Amino acid sequence: MKESAVSALKKKGWNVIESDLYALKFNPVASRDDITGKPTDPDHFKYSAETAQAWKEGRLAKDIVEEQKKLEKADLVIFQFPVYWFGMPAIMKGWLDRVLTLGFAYTFQTMFSEGLFKNKKALLSFTTGGPQSMYTPSGTNGDMNVILWPIQNGILNFCGFKVLEPQILYAVAHVPQEARVGMLKSWEKRLETIWDENPVKFLPLQDFEGFSGGFVLKKEVEESLSESKYAPTVGQHLGKPLPPDSQVKAECSKL
Ligand SMILES: Cc1cc2nc3c(=O)[nH]c(=O)nc-3n(C[C@H](O)[C@H](O)[C@H](O)COP(=O)(O)OP(=O)(O)OC[C@H]3O[C@@H](n4cnc5c(N)ncnc54)[C@H](O)[C@@H]3O)c2cc1C
């Protein structure tokens, strides 16, 4: 999938930068070693605050800076991974923990639709062990839309990325070879026009109160949604049925 993406995107004229985390032996553990120089408060090391300060002063660990430089250049970021325990492998989670530094990737003034990466797009491309039926609202694993919400909203949308529909390859090791070849072909085809795709829908930050109001939906917004059959999003469900496929399909997110 990674190799297909690289060649399909290059064919369309994109400049592709890769980060193969295993080849890099990327260190996924957030620690004091992520900054050089003296911490602001050595007695109580607060990771976000210390790394934000180090980012400002150019004192972040070299491997973090290298990845941040790549991210700065990117218009579209594709995360390719096998699903591990309903999420991403630890090495990729550690990349997010360490590379998305406060100040560089987010601030509490500039988050969600106002996020620092609002001019960038991101996409999760992943393989699963389980078949698609397991990931439905009546399947043992539950609705894939619910599984995607923490990553797509809590990480990508939080930093401002426009989130494109995920590329999901269900039960990739258990389907016939022809099916896998087909999966690669449709991925390559999709990548030809990936830039023109609509993103998955999230509520804009303006729909919510600010800090003093506890960041909850504005009363008038909630009232305007009262007639709709479905919840606006998986997370802001307001006690209503979840909008079908709102995290896996851009067009369904109008519901
Ligand atoms: C720790 C852990 C936790 C997990 N948690 C979950 C979970 O929560 N939910 C879940 O659903 N699954 C889970 N799994 C399963 C995991 O998601 C799958 O095993 C994984 O997604 C399969 O992808 P892979 O890249 O490892 O495929 P592989 O098994 O490496 O490859 C799949 C098949 O593709 C073939 N192949 C390779 N290259 C090509 C090519 N170019 N063209 C055609 N075919 C090719 C290979 O020969 C192989 O038969 C977990 C696995 C682990 C180890």
Side-chain angles (χ1 to χ4, degrees), residues 41-56:
D41 182 355
D43 297 329
H44 180 193
F45 190 90
K46 289 188 190 157
Y47 187 82
S48 301
E50 293 291 352
T51 50
Q53 193 60 27
W55 169 75
K56 260 192 223 153

Side-chain angles (χ1 to χ4, degrees), residues 81-87 127-130 135 141 169 172-173 177 180-181 184:
F81 59 96
V83 162
Y84 278 7
W85 295 116
F86 282 34
T127 52
T128 71
Y135 287 98
N141 293 4
L169 274 68
V172 76
Q177 180 66 2
R180 281 193 290 268
V181 172
L184 287 174

Side-chain angles (χ1 to χ4, degrees), residues 179-255:
R180 281 193 290 268
V181 172
M183 287 171 173
L184 287 174
K185 284 218 174 86
S186 62
W187 176 223
E188 287 163 15
K189 183 96 196 103
R190 180 182 175 194
L191 288 163
E192 287 177 14
T193 51
I194 193 91
W195 193 254
D196 306 325
E197 289 186 12
N198 286 326
V200 165
K201 194 187 142 197
F202 296 92
L203 293 175
L205 189 63
Q206 301 88 278
D207 283 1
F208 297 86
E209 299 289 354
F211 178 77
S212 57
F215 298 110
V216 295
L217 263 186
K218 288 178 178 163
K219 274 274 156 305
E220 63 270 26
V221 175
E222 199 169 333
E223 273 162 28
S224 74
L225 296 165
S226 63
E227 295 301 309
S228 55
K229 181 175 168 197
Y230 292 107
T233 68
V234 171
Q236 288 90 24
H237 58 69
L238 309 173
K240 293 177 181 226
L242 298 187
D245 282 343
S246 62
Q247 287 294 295
V248 297
K249 288 270 170 244
E251 63 264 31
C252 291
S253 59
K254 291 189 199 82
L255 287 166

Side-chain angles (χ1 to χ4, degrees), residues 4 14 16 26 31 33 46 58 86 88 94 97 99 104 133 140 150 155 173 180 185 189 200-201 206 220 249:
S4 285
W14 290 98
V16 182
F26 189 79
S31 77
D33 296 339
K46 289 188 190 157
F86 282 34
M88 50 188 51
D97 292 346
V99 175
F104 168 74
S133 56
T140 49
I155 304 172
R180 281 193 290 268
K185 284 218 174 86
K189 183 96 196 103
V200 165
K201 194 187 142 197
Q206 301 88 278
E220 63 270 26
K249 288 270 170 244

